């Protein structure tokens, strides 16, 4: 719960310092719980808890089994779940440690699809998963979140290269903000230098 508490504290801090508007509504005018329900978050460390797979996907029991199976199919997990004892009622241990990191992250992604929020925050969501799972997550984001605002803190630069806008931070300050294609062709661009360094690291 420490990670969750830190992120709630960070949300309080952001709402206090900045005016964050969603569909014309200042989030500062909402309670913290109401504000938190306006967006979904997928962190670097998947957040699951002891209990059934169904409860992890739908903690507040708002959705039908059909909805859950559709979400699982969207993240290519339906066949995998059908092989589990109890299917949707398969029991996860604390933190979902009887699943691999990739499986946990895909369960979290299915949960976000069910929440159907218009803002999704990906905090290094693919940093700890294998290349195949990373590709799958990026595919789901591009196909299922077309009408969603996606804010991504990226570990792998190729995952954001086709995003609408990129913000580059240096020592906590914004130094660049533009389309990736513009920054890549800008002389002395921080982002261009990062991409060059990243490509050299990957190729080596």
């Amino acid at each position: 719960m420490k990670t969750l508490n830190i992120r709630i504290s960070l949300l309080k801090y952001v709402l206090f310092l900045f005016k964050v508007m969603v569909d014309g509504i200042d989030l500062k005018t909402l309670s913290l719980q109401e504000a938190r329900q306006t967006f979904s978050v997928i962190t670097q460390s998947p957040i699951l808890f002891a209990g059934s797979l169904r409860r992890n996907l739908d903690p507040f029991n708002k959705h039908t089994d059909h909805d859950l199976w559709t979400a699982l199919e969207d993240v290519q997990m339906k066949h995998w779940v059908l092989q589990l004892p109890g299917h949707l009622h398969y029991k996860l241990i604390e933190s979902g440690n009887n699943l691999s990191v990739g499986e946990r992250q895909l369960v979290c992604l299915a949960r976000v699809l069910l929440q159907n929020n218009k803002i999704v925050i990906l905090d290094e969501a693919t940093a700890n998963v294998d290349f195949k799972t990373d590709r799958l997550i990026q595919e789901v984001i591009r196909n299922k979140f077309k009408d969603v605002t996606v804010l991504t803190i990226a570990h792998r630069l190729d995952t954001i290269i086709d995003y609408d806008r990129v913000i580059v931070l240096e020592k906590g300050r914004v130094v660049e903000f533009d389309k990736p294609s513009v920054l890549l062709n800008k002389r002395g661009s921080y982002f261009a230098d990062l991409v060059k360094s990243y490509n050299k690291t990957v190729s080596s």
Side-chain angles (χ1 to χ4, degrees), residues 10 26 45 66 71 84 96 110 131 143 153 158 180:
L10 180 60
D26 186 351
S45 299
H66 175 75
L84 296 175
F131 182 79
N143 293 333
I153 300 169
D158 55 337

Side-chain angles (χ1 to χ4, degrees), residues 18-103:
F18 303 102
K19 188 174 185 178
V20 182
M21 306 292 291
V22 177
D23 290 338
I25 299 174
D26 186 351
L27 294 189
K28 196 179 295 184
T29 65
L30 305 177
S31 70
L32 181 61
Q33 189 62 29
E34 289 174 321
R36 178 64 182 83
Q37 291 174 359
T38 62
F39 59 86
S40 300
V41 180
I42 302 179
T43 64
Q44 182 175 342
S45 299
I47 299 176
L48 298 176
F49 45 84
S52 70
L53 176 61
R54 193 194 198 292
R55 185 162 175 264
N56 272 275
L57 288 167
D58 184 19
F60 303 105
N61 200 30
K62 293 181 177 180
H63 302 280
T64 66
D65 284 2
H66 175 75
D67 294 334
L68 271 62
W69 285 115
T70 299
L72 289 168
E73 187 170 24
D74 287 339
V75 300
Q76 297 183 24
M77 290 281 282
K78 182 177 179 179
H79 180 68
W80 175 80
V81 173
L82 285 171
Q83 297 181 49
L84 296 175
H87 305 326
L88 290 175
H89 300 288
Y90 177 73
K91 296 296 183 182
L92 275 61
I93 63 175
E94 189 66 35
S95 301
N97 285 331
N98 49 338
L99 307 182
S100 70
V101 175
E103 289 164 350

Side-chain angles (χ1 to χ4, degrees), residues 127-178:
N128 292 329
V129 301
D130 59 69
F131 182 79
K132 181 180 179 181
T133 304
D134 182 9
R135 294 294 90 193
L136 173 56
I137 291 173
Q138 297 306 324
E139 181 182 339
V140 172
I141 291 169
R142 284 162 175 76
N143 293 333
K144 299 299 179 180
F145 295 156
K146 290 180 179 179
D147 299 320
V148 173
T149 298
V150 179
L151 306 175
T152 301
I153 300 169
H155 175 72
R156 297 168 177 164
L157 293 179
D158 55 337
T159 65
I160 61 165
I161 203 68
D162 62 344
Y163 274 38
D164 295 322
R165 295 288 189 277
V166 170
I167 296 175
V168 182
L169 300 175
E170 173 73 13
K171 296 180 180 179
R173 298 176 65 87
V174 175
V175 293
E176 288 183 327
F177 175 59
D178 213 322

